[in-house]
């Protein structure tokens, strides 16, 4: 593996970890919105979760 391939893979790994952290945070927001009975915030958080998961899927492929 060349240096540029290793750095690309390392950067992608960092991106994946970042997205996983963001997904975990959004899941917490979803739980809070559900508990508080906030449908608008719940909908926004679910949309954000879908976007983050789609982005993660792209990186993992």
């Amino acid at each position: 593996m060349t240096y540029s391939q290793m750095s690309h893979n390392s950067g992608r790994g960092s991106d994946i970890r970042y997205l996983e952290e963001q997904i975990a945070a959004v899941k917490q927001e979803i739980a809070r919105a559900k508990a508080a009975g906030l449908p608008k915030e719940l909908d926004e958080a679910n949309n954000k979760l879908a976007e983050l998961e789609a982005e993660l899927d792209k990186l993992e492929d």
Side-chain angles (χ1 to χ4, degrees):
M1 182 178 284
T2 67
Y3 176 77
S4 62
Q5 288 171 322
M6 287 188 298
S7 18
H8 176 70
N9 287 340
S10 174
R12 194 174 96 201
S14 296
D15 291 344
I16 289 171
R17 279 190 299 279
Y18 174 77
L19 286 172
E20 288 172 341
E21 291 171 3
Q22 293 301 306
I23 288 170
V26 171
K27 285 181 178 180
Q28 289 178 350
E29 288 179 34
I30 289 171
R32 283 192 293 268
K34 281 182 184 177
L38 301 170
K40 181 181 176 186
E41 287 79 358
L42 179 59
D43 189 44
E44 290 173 358
N46 279 321
N47 290 337
K48 182 66 176 176
L49 179 61
E51 291 173 12
L52 289 169
E53 288 176 337
E55 199 172 329
L56 181 62
D57 287 343
K58 288 179 189 176
L59 285 176
E60 288 180 333
D61 286 339

